[in-house]
Amino acid sequence: MSGKLYICPTPIGNLEDITYRTLKVLNEVDLIAAEDTRHSIKLLNHFEISKPLTSYFEHNKDTKGDYLINKLLDGENIALISDAGMPGISDPGEDLIKQAIENNIEIDVLPGATAFTVALVGSGLDTHKFVFEGFLDRDKKLRRKRLEEIQEEDRTMIFYESPHRLKDTLRDMLKFFGNRKIAVNRELTKKYQEVIREDIETVLKIYEEKEIKGEFVLIVDGFKGEKQAKNNYDELSEREYVEVLINTGLSKKDAIKTVCKDRKLKKDVVYKQVLDL
C-alpha cells in the first residue's frame, strides 16, 4: 500500500501562522521534501521537529520527483513544503502533485498561509471575481505581450514580483493598463510589512525614490472601460483603431506604434490621420 503525500503550507513570514495540524503532520511523516533545505531547517529547528529532509526544487524536480514517487509507492509518507506559503502555487510542487495523481497516490492538502489571499483581502479592491497571474515573464517582450493580452481583463488581477523587477513591471502596467488602482504589498506578515494603496502612477513615483527590498504581491483593479472585441479591429480605420487603443490606456505614441505594426504601415501614414487627437 502506497504512502500519502501531504502538501503543507508554511508561514509567509510570521512563524506563528503555522497551523497545529501542519506541525502534527511534519512530526509524523517519514520524510520532508523542501524547496530549500537550508531555509526549511530553521523552521523545523524552531518547532523542534527532527525528520529526514531532502531537497525538491525547480532544477532537480525531474530526478528528485521520481525518487519521491518511489518512496511513496514503497509506503512512506512524505510532507512537501516550500520556502513560504502553499506548495504548488508558482512553485515546482505542482509537478510532484501531478506525478502523485498519475501514480494513484493519495494527496492531502492542508490549509494555511498563502500570500495572495492576504494581499487580495487587504487591497480594498473587488474580491468577488479575481484572477491569479503569478510571476510575469522575466523577458521584457513576453512580459509586455502578456500585459497587452490582459489589458481588458475585468476581474481583479493578482501578480507576484521580485524587488529588482518591480519598477519595470509598474512602468509596463501603466503603459498597458492605464493609471488604475493598485495595492502593492511588501513583506507580508513580517516586521517591515508595507501596503500601499494608490494608483499605479503614484506608486511608481514612490518606489522611484525608495530602496526596494523584499517580495511583492501586486493587486490590480480590473478593466472598467467598454471592451472592444479584438476581432473587430480589422474593421476599424487607422484613426478609429488608435482611438480604441488610447481608451484602453495606451499613450498616443504607443497606440500609433501598435497600429503601424499590426497594419504594416509607416508611422507617418498613421500619424497624419490622428494629428488632431
Side-chain angles (χ1 to χ4, degrees), residues 192-207:
Y192 297 106
Q193 171 178 300
E194 178 181 60
V195 182
I196 300 176
R197 303 174 185 88
E198 287 287 354
D199 53 61
I200 298 175
E201 195 171 75
T202 301
V203 168
L204 185 54
K205 288 177 182 177
I206 290 171
Y207 280 106

Side-chain angles (χ1 to χ4, degrees), residues 152 228 233 236 239-249:
E152 290 188 357
Q228 173 69 43
Y233 282 3
L236 301 176
R239 179 188 174 87
E240 289 170 335
Y241 193 180
V242 169
E243 286 183 299
V244 167
L245 294 175
I246 290 174
N247 288 334
T248 65

